[in-house]
Amino acid sequence: METPIPEISLQYTLRPANEYGIWTGGANGTMESVKSTSILGGLRFWTGALLRANGFDVCEDRNCIYEEGKSICSLCKIFGCTGLSRVCNLSVDASQKLFQPITKSKKYTELTNHRRTTDGKSPRYYFTQAYQCPITITISLHRPLLEGTFAIPREITTALYLMITYGTLGAYDQYGCGLMDWKDPHEAEHLKSLCLPKANPGKAACGISLRDFFFYKGQIQGDGKQAMAEIRYRIRDALRSPFSQELRHWFCGSLGNRARKEEASGCNYTLTIDSKGYMYGWGFYPTASNLPYQKFVKDRETVLDRVKKVLSDSDMAGNSLVWRECNSKRDTKGISEWPQWYADLLQSPWRMA
Ligand SMILES: [Zn+2]
């Protein structure tokens, strides 16, 4: 058992790494404030993925109920469920005191070199320009763990560290948003020192686990927006035949189609390019045949091979592409099992200086 975290409250200041800023949602496409719920939702997702990777069972859709004689999953023990509050509170302060509402951008990049076969028009990709000032995240302990310890769980600090370092915060991260930089690198070292020192060997639990994640980065020459639009176009195009439309929509996202009764779906990978031309992204593709992903699992290898190939096209990241994925031949550092991969992920710097 690792030692408890000494602090009962943690505070970190981050700033958006590029012009796309951070988007935390809002009614009718207008963001009125930086909402902690959006960041908390992401933190819950990453914590669940970390717990599953370490072999802990996590329920789907927080359906545990905390009452006498019933056991609850390890994620609900931290994030709460019916009858139980969260272990920690998370609040976000935006540095800009008078928050100006931000409306979802109508600006788009058009790929004039491509024509859709359906209507002959060029595909357009919208980019959001959201909140661009620093934010301060505070995590404070609210109640003791069910085991009695009064300390912020290391699963939370680890998930937050990985999310900031390798992932994104908030929404619209398929449109470039959510890449954050540390305002003070000492704070990054502090949070890293509070992470789980080791990962559990053994099997992952059912559901999306960190072992299913992939992270990538590389240097892009030329215009960032044009490259991001082109990459999204090429990935979608690479996932046509022999894959089903359902798989393509699930992986690349879809606006839905009311006439065909297809629901809109989010994207399984993120993509952004910072002001220096460095591309960063992450995503997940389940390895185990668990519902509702069962039907996609068999195509995992081919799909991710194709995604990696698009990113390493010579006019995209080329040889500069770095790909990280647990227990995979695609990983730039070679195949490694979960505990070794986790240790390396935690210790290796990720962002380009
Ligand atoms: Zn649960």
Side-chain angles (χ1 to χ4, degrees), residues 99-350:
F99 192 95
Q100 299 289 319
I102 302 163
T103 306
K104 193 177 156 185
S105 173
K106 300 264 192 302
K107 285 185 197 148
Y108 59 82
T109 292
E110 192 163 1
L111 293 176
T112 48
N113 53 331
H114 299 294
R115 291 263 182 267
R116 281 196 298 253
T117 45
T118 43
D119 55 10
K121 289 181 183 163
S122 296
R124 289 172 172 185
Y125 290 87
Y126 289 83
F127 291 101
T128 302
Q129 282 180 309
Y131 187 72
Q132 293 175 18
C133 297
I135 58 165
T136 299
I137 296 178
T138 307
I139 292 180
S140 45
L141 201 53
H142 174 62
R143 64 157 169 86
L145 293 175
L146 296 183
E147 291 78 16
T149 323
F150 196 70
I152 295 170
R154 281 184 196 263
E155 281 78 8
I156 292 242
T157 47
T158 307
L160 184 64
Y161 178 77
L162 294 176
M163 203 173 145
I164 296 168
T165 311
Y166 290 92
T168 42
L169 266 60
Y172 285 163
D173 46 10
Q174 72 273 43
Y175 307 125
C177 297
L179 187 74
M180 306 300 282
D181 278 340
W182 292 91
K183 209 173 164 204
D184 176 358
H186 293 105
E187 291 190 357
E189 285 306 311
H190 181 261
L191 181 58
K192 189 165 138 183
S193 75
L194 303 178
C195 291
L196 287 168
K198 280 187 183 137
N200 293 352
K203 277 182 73 169
C206 195
I208 295 169
S209 123
L210 262 182
R211 302 190 199 191
D212 303 335
F213 280 37
F214 52 88
F215 307 113
Y216 58 86
K217 66 174 179 180
Q219 170 94 61
I220 300 285
Q221 310 295 337
D223 182 68
K225 280 199 179 85
Q226 198 71 30
M228 282 163 69
E230 183 67 32
I231 287 170
R232 286 173 60 193
Y233 178 85
R234 286 187 199 176
I235 288 179
R236 188 173 285 271
D237 207 44
L239 301 189
R240 291 182 195 279
S241 174
F243 310 111
S244 65
Q245 177 181 281
E246 192 184 6
L247 181 143
R248 188 168 65 252
H249 285 181
W250 167 74
F251 191 81
C252 302
S254 159
L255 296 173
N257 185 314
R258 259 187 225 167
R260 291 204 299 264
K261 290 190 179 159
E262 289 163 7
E263 280 186 37
S265 65
C267 187
N268 280 14
Y269 70 95
T270 75
L271 177 64
T272 197
I273 296 177
D274 74 8
S275 49
K276 292 175 222 137
Y278 292 119
M279 165 187 77
Y280 295 98
W282 68 278
F284 62 88
Y285 198 123
T287 41
S289 310
N290 46 59
L291 292 169
Y293 313 106
Q294 207 160 12
K295 54 192 161 209
F296 305 128
V297 169
K298 67 174 172 37
D299 293 316
R300 187 178 200 274
E301 291 307 298
T302 341
V303 167
L304 293 187
D305 277 348
R306 289 191 181 189
V307 170
K308 187 182 172 190
K309 194 198 155 291
V310 166
L311 297 168
S312 59
D313 277 347
S314 58
D315 57 341
M316 293 300 154
N319 291 333
S320 73
L321 185 79
V322 178
W323 181 280
R324 302 304 319 264
E325 186 189 341
C326 181
N327 204 9
S328 166
K329 61 178 183 349
R330 281 178 292 273
D331 191 291
T332 305
K333 292 190 180 179
I335 299 175
S336 57
E337 297 283 341
W338 165 242
Q340 293 76 35
W341 191 73
Y342 169 80
D344 187 67
L345 211 58
L346 199 61
Q347 291 314 322
S348 311
W350 181 245

Side-chain angles (χ1 to χ4, degrees), residues 44 57-65 71-77 80-81:
R44 192 181 187 281
D57 284 325
V58 170
C59 71
E60 289 291 332
D61 300 327
R62 45 185 102 198
N63 55 13
C64 292
I65 298 171
S71 63
I72 61 170
C73 80
S74 43
L75 186 62
C76 288
K77 281 182 185 171
C81 58

